[in-house]
Amino acid sequence: MEINQQTQKLIQSLKDYTNVQGGEAVHKIKTALENLGNCIDALEISVDNNWENMKQASRERARVNLKTLRMQRIQMAQWYGSLKSGFVETWEHTKKGFSSAYLKLHKTWEKYEQGFSFD
């Protein structure tokens, strides 16, 4: 999927932003979070549509991984809320926290895609 490209682009953008440019960063993050939510929703629909064709182990793994992705997405939304607040003294800390949360979700997504099957 395009999650890998979105992750790399967003993380690089965040590194380049200063607090003065925070409004633009917040807008890009909001868009990225919406896209990510849509990708997770599409993945869940795919699992649901193929549920009958999946072995029990694959079903359990899919549900656990989807739950993990959603929880990590929530954590990112919390960091987004902090970025949106725009406190100058915490901008760098919050930016790093959001980037870390986004990379963590990205790694979970990659792991999920590598192990995902409808067997």
Side-chain angles (χ1 to χ4, degrees):
M1 288 205 162
E2 60 185 56
I3 295 296
N4 189 30
Q5 292 172 342
Q6 288 179 8
T7 298
Q8 291 174 0
K9 187 176 178 180
L10 183 62
I11 296 302
Q12 186 57 50
S13 293
L14 280 175
K15 287 179 183 177
D16 296 340
Y17 281 108
T18 65
N19 189 52
V20 175
Q21 299 164 312
E24 188 177 338
V26 167
H27 176 71
K28 284 188 174 190
I29 290 168
K30 180 181 179 193
T31 301
L33 287 173
E34 289 170 356
N35 290 341
L36 183 58
N38 292 337
C39 288
I40 293 170
D41 290 344
L43 185 59
E44 187 166 29
I45 288 168
S46 179
V47 168
D48 290 344
N49 289 341
N50 291 286
W51 191 257
E52 296 300 321
N53 300 327
M54 297 169 70
K55 292 181 180 177
Q56 186 62 32
S58 295
R59 289 176 179 177
E60 291 171 10
R61 191 172 51 247
R63 287 295 173 213
V64 167
N65 287 331
L66 281 167
K67 183 178 179 180
T68 300
L69 286 168
R70 290 217 182 269
M71 287 179 5
Q72 290 175 345
R73 166 63 177 76
I74 289 168
Q75 290 173 341
M76 289 173 48
Q78 291 169 340
W79 280 109
Y80 166 73
S82 296
L83 281 170
K84 195 174 168 183
S85 298
F87 295 110
V88 175
E89 61 275 3
T90 61
W91 176 256
E92 288 301 318
H93 170 74
T94 305
K95 190 166 66 168
K96 287 178 186 175
F98 180 86
S99 295
S100 175
Y102 200 91
L103 286 172
K104 185 177 178 181
L105 187 141
H106 171 71
K107 287 178 184 178
T108 300
W109 185 277
E110 281 186 331
K111 180 180 166 186
Y112 182 77
E113 280 188 328
Q114 290 171 358
F116 185 74
S117 66
F118 296 113
D119 57 348

